[in-house]
């Protein structure tokens, strides 16, 4: 999905948006964020389905992981649930990162985007960040990133965070039911960015109401563009 301003200068900043686990590129929350980003800042926004999500076919691994996650959750086997979740999200990231890079390659060939447009990662809770962190770690075209909690912060993500030096805003749901808060704080600490901000609000990533978000974070690093209807 590509959202463009109805008018304005070409090569406006481009924001990549991820989605949460089990969701897709057309969820109401993501669509609302995309529309706001285009109409408020005149940016372009792109979203793709993660492997096995939305319009994408599911592999045998996808189906098995979903089944195992449901069963372990129902049985209250939290350690096994974490192990499966970490393994599956790492597999999704391994598949999704080159897809995002191919998407960027294709978009930069469009005259509306071009090769000079500043690029930011606009976040997405849980899976959107589990994919966004390894993507930002290897993709030099991304110059600022917003990440969000709701996932297990495993060793490979911490290692990827250590390679990220661009400005980062991290949104932390303070009361996730299954995620160890200290592990997510350690992940934030691992970012090598000199400019990084942590915002924590009470609640889980599914139930909380965000207060105090720095809405101009991406604008400071990507620049401004003319606002326009989407």
């Amino acid at each position: 999905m590509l959202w463009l301003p109805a008018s304005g200068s070409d090569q406006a900043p481009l924001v990549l948006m991820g989605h949460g686990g089990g969701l897709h590129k057309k969820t109401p929350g993501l669509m609302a964020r995309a529309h706001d980003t285009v109409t408020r800042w005149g940016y372009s926004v792109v979203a793709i389905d993660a492997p096995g999500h939305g319009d994408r076919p599911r592999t045998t691994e996808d189906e098995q992981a979903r089944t195992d996650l449901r069963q372990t959750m129902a049985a209250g086997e939290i350690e096994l649930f974490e192990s499966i979740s970490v393994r599956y999200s790492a597999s999704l990231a391994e598949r999704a990162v080159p897809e995002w890079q191919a998407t960027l390659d294709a978009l930069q060939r469009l005259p509306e985007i071009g090769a000079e447009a500043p690029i930011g990662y606009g976040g997405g809770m849980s899976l959107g960040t589990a994919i966004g962190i390894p993507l930002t770690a290897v993709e030099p075209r991304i110059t600022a990133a917003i990440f969000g909690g709701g996932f297990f912060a495993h060793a490979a993500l911490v290692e990827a965070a250590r390679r990220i030096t661009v400005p980062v805003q991290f949104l932390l749901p303070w009361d996730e039911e299954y995620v160890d808060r200290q592990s997510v704080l350690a992940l934030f600490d691992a970012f090598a960015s000199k400019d990084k901000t942590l915002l924590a609000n009470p609640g889980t990533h599914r139930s909380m109401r965000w207060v105090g978000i720095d809405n101009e974070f991406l604008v400071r690093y990507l620049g401004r563009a003319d606002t326009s209807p989407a």
Side-chain angles (χ1 to χ4, degrees):
M1 291 290 294
L2 176 62
W3 292 266
L4 296 168
S7 62
S9 59
D10 290 340
Q11 301 188 351
L14 172 67
V15 177
L16 320 181
M17 286 193 178
H19 61 75
L23 303 178
H24 54 82
K25 63 183 181 294
K26 297 179 184 179
T27 55
L30 192 156
M31 299 266 294
R33 287 190 294 124
H35 187 269
D36 181 69
T37 301
V38 173
T39 55
R40 181 182 299 191
W41 308 117
Y43 287 5
S44 303
V45 175
V46 61
I48 64 175
D49 286 328
H53 288 68
D55 297 324
R56 306 283 300 277
R58 295 180 187 173
T59 65
T60 301
E61 177 190 5
D62 295 325
E63 295 288 4
Q64 188 62 56
R66 287 170 178 254
T67 298
D68 292 344
L69 287 170
R70 287 194 296 267
Q71 290 178 348
T72 53
M73 176 75 76
E77 299 174 330
I78 302 306
E79 290 186 4
L80 184 55
F81 174 79
E82 178 177 354
S83 175
I84 296 168
S85 178
V86 166
R87 185 171 65 251
Y88 184 47
S89 64
S91 170
L92 291 175
E94 184 177 354
R95 288 183 274 166
V97 166
E99 293 177 349
W100 267 116
Q101 292 179 303
T103 300
L104 278 179
D105 292 341
L107 290 176
Q108 288 188 320
R109 291 193 290 269
L110 298 177
E112 300 91 336
I113 306 295
E116 303 302 321
I119 298 170
Y121 191 79
M125 303 297 285
S126 64
L127 181 60
T129 288
I131 291 172
I133 288 176
L135 172 63
T136 303
V138 301
E139 181 47 73
R141 289 174 287 188
I142 296 175
T143 56
I146 300 174
F147 300 127
F151 59 94
F152 294 105
H154 54 88
L157 276 184
V158 172
E159 181 58 35
R162 292 194 177 109
R163 302 197 300 273
I164 293 177
T165 59
V166 301
V168 166
Q169 180 176 233
F170 195 97
L171 311 179
L172 174 63
W174 197 246
D175 302 307
E176 289 288 355
E177 303 99 321
Y178 308 110
V179 177
D180 174 33
R181 183 189 303 156
Q182 293 304 316
S183 69
V184 182
L185 292 173
L187 173 66
F188 175 78
D189 191 50
F191 288 115
S193 313
K194 292 182 179 179
D195 184 348
K196 58 182 182 180
T197 303
L198 177 73
L199 172 66
N201 279 185
T204 72
H205 73 280
R206 292 185 177 88
S207 65
M208 69 182 303
R209 175 175 174 268
W210 288 108
V211 177
I213 292 178
D214 179 3
N215 290 313
E216 296 199 359
F217 173 80
L218 289 177
V219 179
R220 286 201 302 278
Y221 299 105
L222 304 184
R224 293 181 179 271
D226 296 332
T227 56
S228 168

